[in-house]
Structure formats: C-alpha cells, structure tokens
Amino acid sequence: MEEIEHRTVEVNGIKMHIAEKGKEGPVVLFLHGFPELWYSWRHQISALGSLGYRAVAPDLRGYGDTDAPASISSYTIFHLVGDIVALIDSLGVDRVFLVAHDWGAIIGWYLCLFRPERIKAYVCLSVPYLPRNPKLKPVDGMRAVYGDDYYICRFQEPGKMEAEIAKGSSELLIKAMLTSRNPGPPILPKEGILSHPSVSSTMPLPSWLTLEDVAYYASKFEQTGFSGGLNYYRNFNLNWELTAAWTGSHIKVPVKFIIGDLDLVYTSFGTKQYIESGGFKNDVPNLEEVVIQKGVAHFNNQEAAEEISNHIYDFIKKF
C-alpha cells in the first residue's frame, strides 16, 4: 500500500482523486462500484503495478476525495463516461486496459460503447452488458418485477435513503454490504435499511476484509455522505432516455467477464440465463471468456483478490 501514490487531476470540470502504481508500461484503469472507492482495487493496483503496468484507480465522481456536485443531474452516464475519457487524456495515453466492477462496470460498458477506440480490452466484474430495452424504462421494469422495496427503487427519492443511513453507523452499513452473501434480489425493509437482517454489529468479518479496511471506507463516507453514489441510481431512467440512439448497439472491444455464483447480480436480473443462452455473446461479439467463480459473492475483486489479479493479467498480456 505504501507504494501506491495519490494525486488529484482536473477532469470534465471536477477535481478527481486517483491512486496509482507504476510509472511506465501500459495503463490499466480500474473503476469501482457502490459503496466503494479506489481502495476496492488496492490488491490489483499492487499486483499489476508490480508486473510492468501503470495501474490507476480513481475515486469516481461523488466518491471519496473526488468532487461531488450537488445536482442529481450531474451524475448522468454522459458525465460519468466524460470523466473517464478526460482522465485517460490526463494520463497522456490514447488507449487503456479497462477493469471495472459494479457501477464501475456499467460505466465501463458505456465507455466501450461510446469510445471503443480508447479501450484495448475490458475485464468486467459482476455486471454484464445491459442492452437497452426500447419499450421499458429500467427502474419501472425493476419495480414491476421486484416491487417498491427493491433497493434501486428505494434509492430513487432524493434525501430519503440518506436520512435512513444517517440514523446509524456508516461502518456498520459498509460492513454489512461488503460481506453480504444473500444471493436473492436485495429487498430493503420499510422500517429502514439498518433494519435489514444482514446489518448486525456482532457479524464477524471474513478473512479478506479487515477492521482497518472497513474503517477506511467508513471514514470517507462519513466525510462525503452517500448522495454521490446514490445519484448514479437516480439517473437510471434518464440515462435510458439519453441513450436511445444506441438501441441495438453491440460492444466491439475484447472482453473477459468474471462473476461469483453467489453474486446477487448473477442470481437475479436473469443474468445466468442471459449468459447461458448466448444473449451476452450476441450483444458482445468479442466476449472471449466468462468465468463463474464458485462460492464467491458480489465483491469478488476483494473476496478473491489474488485470483482476480491473475485473471486480469492472463487476459491483458495477450494484447
């Protein structure tokens, strides 16, 4: 960790914090998800930075030490992808290897869709490409399938989830979310997110997560709050409207996809069927490999850190 350097760059009208290791070699750019930070990639930054690559991981817009604009409409997919294109420019390179997880993975797919010439290859964790359904807004579809208490539906009302979270401990919430192994779609109790059965102060930490890790995440979210990350979800329907021109588009970059068989994304959204039916390969013609990790849940870049680092290296060294 002490070999990882930190600095701030100006991108797309905001100041973005980045962590990096390695001064030379091809850039490997890591994008984190919710509720995470650059820190989610600490193991992979160290590993790839030691293998001759320049490993770079930002705190995304609204997170950690990166600026968090107040307006919900400042978190559309065009803002998020624009930040990353400007970050790549700031690194002084034309193309990068992309590695992304959760919300970072969604940004990654759109980056590959909008600016494929900037991406050499993409290692995507947890969230597959989600082709646009021209007949149904995504949040409306989620509400129809899973109901109003589905977590993304509960995140929609500005300020409400923030108020629920503020009633409890950021540390406890982070711990519960990172260690959850509930494979079903996340349904949040009406009485508040901290009433969820998975939120317990006595819950032991798994071997891959330390008290220091949880404290680092919590300290950053206590400074910033959770609105930045929640605003990504609040733009799902607006993103659907903004990206109508890309209906039916395919992802053309080379892709490796890795997901745990206990990941809530794998066990809901029809993801398993989408992969097995060939739909995923149809939408991503250069999908070269799909890896299903046995006994691994959503945060696979941390739970199976060494395995993920090896998968990344084995894929990108071919290019």
Side-chain angles (χ1 to χ4, degrees):
M1 289 288 288
E2 61 275 4
E3 298 169 335
I4 297 175
E5 298 180 356
H6 299 265
R7 61 189 176 98
T8 300
V9 294
E10 299 262 355
V11 300
N12 198 21
I14 64 170
K15 291 183 172 66
M16 174 174 273
H17 163 251
I18 64 171
E20 57 187 334
K21 179 180 176 182
K23 297 295 186 185
E24 305 293 334
V27 173
V28 185
L29 181 59
F30 296 91
L31 308 182
H32 68 79
F34 177 86
E36 299 178 273
L37 302 162
W38 75 268
Y39 190 81
S40 308
W41 299 108
R42 58 198 178 279
H43 305 296
Q44 288 78 27
I45 295 170
S46 293
L48 274 296
S50 299
L51 289 168
Y53 292 91
R54 184 180 173 193
V56 179
D59 283 334
L60 295 175
R61 172 181 293 241
Y63 285 90
D65 295 317
T66 291
D67 285 350
S71 168
I72 293 173
S73 61
S74 295
Y75 294 83
T76 72
I77 199 61
F78 289 145
H79 291 88
L80 304 178
V81 172
D83 294 346
I84 304 307
V85 172
L87 173 58
I88 295 170
D89 289 341
S90 80
L91 298 173
V93 297
D94 292 327
R95 303 170 75 214
V96 299
F97 290 113
L98 182 65
V99 182
H101 171 261
D102 189 79
W103 247 106
I106 297 174
I107 298 169
W109 288 118
Y110 281 108
L111 177 57
C112 292
L113 186 62
F114 299 157
R115 299 299 302 273
E117 78 282 3
R118 306 306 300 266
I119 309 302
K120 294 179 186 177
Y122 181 22
V123 179
C124 179
L125 312 186
S126 181
V127 180
Y129 181 52
L130 305 172
R132 184 180 183 276
N133 180 346
K135 297 179 180 177
L136 185 64
K137 293 182 179 182
V139 177
D140 299 3
M142 294 169 194
R143 185 170 280 115
V145 174
Y146 298 120
D148 291 336
D149 293 336
Y150 184 60
Y151 79 111
I152 291 174
C153 301
R154 291 266 271 108
F155 286 176
Q156 293 302 308
E157 187 177 334
K160 189 169 184 181
M161 186 53 59
E162 289 91 330
E164 284 188 23
I165 292 170
K167 292 176 184 175
S169 152
S170 296
E171 199 160 306
L172 184 57
L173 182 63
I174 293 290
K175 181 177 167 183
M177 293 187 74
L178 292 183
T179 61
S180 173
R181 301 182 79 75
N182 177 7
I187 305 297
L188 302 183
K190 288 186 173 64
E191 54 271 26
I193 189 171
L194 294 166
S195 303
H196 195 278
S198 68
V199 183
S200 167
S201 58
T202 60
M203 179 177 51
L205 288 177
S207 60
W208 52 269
L209 190 68
T210 69
L211 287 171
E212 291 77 15
D213 296 334
V214 175
Y216 182 83
Y217 285 114
S219 69
K220 295 300 180 182
F221 281 102
E222 282 164 8
Q223 291 171 24
T224 64
F226 287 83
S227 290
L230 291 168
N231 286 340
Y232 287 45
Y233 294 92
R234 292 168 181 153
N235 278 284
F236 260 133
N237 279 356
L238 178 57
N239 290 339
W240 178 87
E241 295 177 16
L242 294 172
T243 56
W246 286 272
T247 302
S249 295
H250 291 166
I251 302 292
K252 300 294 176 62
V253 304
V255 173
K256 180 174 187 172
F257 181 70
I258 310 168
I259 193 168
D261 66 354
L262 298 181
D263 190 326
L264 56 91
V265 178
Y266 185 63
T267 57
S268 54
F269 296 117
T271 300
K272 185 178 181 182
Q273 294 81 357
Y274 177 53
I275 294 169
E276 292 177 348
S277 69
F280 191 12
K281 175 70 173 174
N282 180 69
D283 293 329
V284 185
N286 293 321
L287 176 65
E288 295 192 13
E289 189 177 356
V290 173
V291 177
I292 312 296
Q293 296 175 298
K294 299 296 182 187
V296 176
H298 182 63
F299 296 95
N300 54 347
N301 52 338
Q302 297 182 76
E303 180 180 346
E306 185 176 359
E307 183 183 347
I308 291 294
S309 296
N310 291 338
H311 276 303
I312 295 167
Y313 178 64
D314 288 345
F315 189 58
I316 67 175
K317 70 181 181 183
K318 300 188 296 183
F319 297 93

